[in-house]
Amino acid sequence: QLQASGGGLVQAGGSLRLSCTASGRPISNLRVGWFRQAPGKEREFVAAFSGSSRYADSVKGRFTASRDSALNTVYLQMNSLKPEDTAVYYCAVTQTIWSYLDDARRYTYWGQGTLVTVSS
């Protein structure tokens, strides 16, 4: 089971940190992805963490994924937020290979989503 949290309302240029906490399995054994879905748009890949990180071009240099194994949590630190980052953010886990980490269809378990709203 995955629990995503940390969303909220922030002004453009601000920061938020999202958390994805797993229960039932050590998160250090999992590949965790972050996706987002804005109103009227398809779900898109944001980042993935599996010891090392992979990012969508749209967030590279602004977002950072990390892990705290003791808390069984993966984080997504989001800096320099833009209005276009507004979306519901989801975390999910997969066992797929590195090349497919940006493919939502490869993920088997999803958290419930947390809303991020960036005002201009």
Side-chain angles (χ1 to χ4, degrees):
Q1 187 175 2
L2 297 175
Q3 179 77 29
S5 61
L9 174 63
V10 64
Q11 288 187 333
S15 299
L16 282 174
R17 188 179 74 164
L18 305 183
S19 300
C20 178
T21 301
S23 58
R25 291 185 64 182
I27 206 163
S28 57
N29 294 343
L30 303 173
R31 291 186 163 175
V32 178
W34 288 97
F35 291 80
R36 66 188 181 188
Q37 187 165 20
K41 294 188 177 181
E42 293 186 354
R43 190 170 298 190
E44 65 173 359
F45 171 75
V46 176
F49 188 86
S50 178
S52 52
S53 305
R54 180 176 171 181
Y55 301 97
D57 288 343
S58 60
V59 307
K60 205 170 291 183
R62 301 187 297 122
F63 291 11
T64 304
S66 62
R67 181 175 64 204
D68 186 330
S69 297
L71 296 178
N72 223 36
T73 298
V74 168
Y75 300 101
L76 184 67
Q77 178 67 43
M78 306 186 297
N79 298 330
S80 302
L81 283 161
K82 304 175 181 180
E84 51 263 44
D85 294 318
T86 295
V88 176
Y89 284 70
Y90 300 88
C91 64
V93 296
T94 181
Q95 293 182 316
T96 194
I97 62 175
W98 187 262
S99 299
Y100 296 142
L101 285 175
D102 59 347
D103 186 348
R105 298 169 297 178
R106 303 282 180 166
Y107 287 76
T108 50
Y109 297 100
W110 292 77
Q112 84 287 3
T114 184
L115 176 62
V116 172
T117 304
V118 184
S119 63
S120 56

